[in-house]
Amino acid sequence: MNLSFNDAELEVVRLAAGREGMSPVSWAGRQVMAVAQHVLVPVSRDAGDVLRELVQARVHLRETVTALRALTADGPPVAGLAETAATVVAQALGAVARVDEGTVQVMRERRPRS
């Protein structure tokens, strides 16, 4: 099988392969197989941007939860801090769940490729 890319596309492939320590040919082959096996589902550029934003929000929320849990686990308890932190952790976990649901919804609503 032969693949052809313009210069800009080839640079994107080279950068992606480099991030994963792979040759561009190996990286492209792995991506083709992932799509063929329905492990990787291609999405439009707009949907991809939305998904990336949701994933970044999810990562940020999980980091926030971790930091808040550390506040309640370290050092002497400060009056009311544990309860406040527990409330904020619960809210952050709820936000993570909503971001997860939003991500799944965007993936379900993608248009089938024709």
Side-chain angles (χ1 to χ4, degrees):
M1 172 171 43
N2 293 318
L3 300 173
S4 64
F5 300 100
N6 65 32
D7 291 341
E9 292 167 337
L10 184 56
E11 184 59 24
V12 170
V13 170
R14 284 184 180 139
L15 290 171
R19 279 194 305 268
E20 297 187 32
M22 300 176 75
S23 73
V25 171
S26 296
W27 184 88
R30 187 177 75 178
Q31 301 308 310
V32 167
M33 286 304 299
V35 170
Q37 296 169 339
H38 301 286
V39 174
L40 177 65
V41 179
V43 296
S44 70
R45 181 179 209 145
D46 291 341
D49 291 344
V50 170
L51 287 171
R52 272 187 290 284
E53 201 170 314
L54 286 168
V55 168
Q56 288 173 351
R58 185 173 185 272
V59 168
H60 179 69
L61 285 167
R62 291 231 181 250
E63 290 170 351
T64 301
V65 168
T66 301
L68 286 167
R69 285 186 174 145
L71 280 177
T72 59
D74 297 336
V78 177
L81 176 62
E83 294 80 17
T84 302
T87 300
V88 175
V89 166
Q91 291 171 347
L93 289 172
V96 169
R98 289 189 301 278
V99 168
D100 287 346
E101 290 168 11
T103 304
V104 169
Q105 187 65 30
V106 168
M107 292 172 73
R108 284 185 183 143
E109 290 178 358
R110 71 176 176 78
R111 286 187 181 164
R113 295 174 61 106
S114 55

